[in-house]
Amino acid sequence: MHVRVAREARAKALLVPALWSLTGWALAFETALAVDAWPVAAGGIALVVLSCTGVGERWTARVLLRGGVPRLHQRCTLAPVAKVLLGHGVVVDGLLLLVGPGAGVGVMAVGERTLVVTRGLVEAVRSGCLGPVTAAAVIAHELGIVRAGLTRTSQAWAVFLLPWSALVGFLTLLWGIVTVFVSARVLVASMVISAGVGLWLGATEHPVHLASTLVMAVVAWTWWSSSGWHRARNRVADDHLVQVGLAGSFADYLRTTGSDDATLDRVVRLRQQDSWHPGRSGDGPAATGAGACPVSWSR
């Protein structure tokens, strides 16, 4: 049930980015063909098709997420985490684990068998700030998304949505510059007021004034649909944690990373569901797996 809802939420979240990217690719292809650069256009199409393959999945993770094969010390650090995952019945055979940049604790799934963990996660485990069971819960959370098939075509979408990513990156940079001088709340209020004035002028003066209202409506839709996809995605991942007995550990992790109402509600749900499905492990010495460092993940 949650998987179906998540797929519908993802389709809504992709609507605006897909339309923008389609327009961007169309303009790029038209420009390439106009200057007789048809090999460039063909190469763009081939790139999207290639990204749907296993090779494309790995290269998408390596190029776009800058993931690399774990070093020996990183594999040894993550070995106890793999042991916890196996102990909870989480299938990791055939899973390609890469380590990417990032100071925070994070995991990103690509395609059907690739996970990219941040250097921050590895360092947190190495320093003892993040116990093996908690780290396993964080990884299993993202792995639940993979097992549900919600990332099966993520690498193709990542390539196709490059024009959208470029736009978002530019707007993020611009927003960061402007908010140095003007409060973010003032900017949002100005956008809302502009949309309201545009609606009024469009109805009383000329429809051209509706442009500002349309822009604000697109922004609101994009934010709302993206938030819905994020919540639905998390619900699917939380269900997977309950099934493997790691919901309680992930709830403890969430409790230390957020204090907003939505996060606290989620913590309560995870703990309640975890109490109905016994089998949670702690981050005690027995879970650390100190010693040799066999790794079950593929390289």
Side-chain angles (χ1 to χ4, degrees):
M1 181 65 176
H2 289 159
V3 175
R4 180 180 61 81
V5 173
R7 286 172 178 162
E8 293 175 355
R10 180 179 59 178
K12 293 177 182 177
L14 287 173
L15 180 60
V16 172
L19 290 176
W20 175 272
S21 297
L22 182 62
T23 303
W25 282 115
L27 291 175
F29 289 154
E30 183 179 356
T31 302
L33 294 176
V35 297
D36 200 23
W38 61 266
V40 177
I45 297 175
L47 184 62
V48 175
V49 174
L50 178 63
S51 65
C52 296
T53 65
V55 175
E57 176 182 319
R58 292 191 293 272
W59 279 104
T60 299
R62 291 175 181 270
V63 175
L64 297 185
L65 299 181
R66 293 183 290 168
V69 176
R71 307 279 300 191
L72 176 60
H73 70 91
Q74 293 171 331
R75 297 202 302 273
C76 287
T77 299
L78 294 175
V81 180
K83 182 177 179 180
V84 173
L85 289 172
L86 291 173
H88 281 263
V90 180
V91 179
V92 297
D93 290 339
L95 181 68
L96 177 64
L97 186 75
L98 303 175
V99 178
V105 174
V107 185
M108 177 65 70
V110 179
E112 298 183 86
R113 57 184 296 270
T114 305
L115 285 182
V116 181
V117 302
T118 60
R119 293 181 181 272
L121 185 146
V122 179
E123 177 59 26
V125 175
R126 187 198 64 78
S127 64
C129 295
L130 197 68
V133 175
T134 305
V138 174
I139 292 175
H141 183 270
E142 190 70 11
L143 190 56
I145 305 296
V146 177
R147 299 307 185 214
L150 295 177
T151 61
R152 185 170 293 121
T153 58
S154 62
Q155 68 275 19
W157 279 109
V159 175
F160 178 73
L161 294 179
L162 284 176
W164 173 258
S165 299
L167 173 65
V168 172
F170 171 75
L171 293 179
T172 300
L173 176 62
L174 186 62
W175 182 271
I177 295 174
V178 175
T179 51
V180 173
F181 307 99
V182 182
S183 169
R185 292 185 177 181
V186 173
L187 286 178
V188 173
S190 300
M191 293 175 63
V192 173
I193 293 173
S194 176
V197 172
L199 183 63
W200 177 66
L201 292 176
T204 58
E205 299 291 338
H206 195 280
V208 71
H209 295 292
L210 293 174
S212 60
T213 306
L214 178 61
V215 170
M216 189 61 189
V218 171
V219 171
W221 166 268
T222 304
W223 175 84
W224 175 80
S225 60
S226 178
S227 300
W229 158 237
H230 181 71
R231 290 192 299 270
R233 189 181 190 275
N234 283 338
R235 184 61 62 88
V236 172
D238 290 350
D239 289 345
H240 182 253
L241 290 177
V242 172
Q243 293 173 6
V244 300
L246 289 169
S249 297
F250 192 73
D252 295 340
Y253 168 74
L254 284 180
R255 187 64 184 85
T256 64
T257 59
S259 58
D260 57 282
D261 291 337
T263 299
L264 295 179
D265 286 344
R266 191 175 167 201
V267 167
V268 172
R269 284 195 299 267
L270 284 169
R271 285 176 176 166
Q272 288 177 341
Q273 292 174 314
D274 183 59
S275 65
W276 301 335
H277 296 75
R280 173 187 172 191
S281 299
D283 277 340
T288 60
C293 51
V295 178
S296 299
W297 290 305
S298 300
R299 294 185 59 187

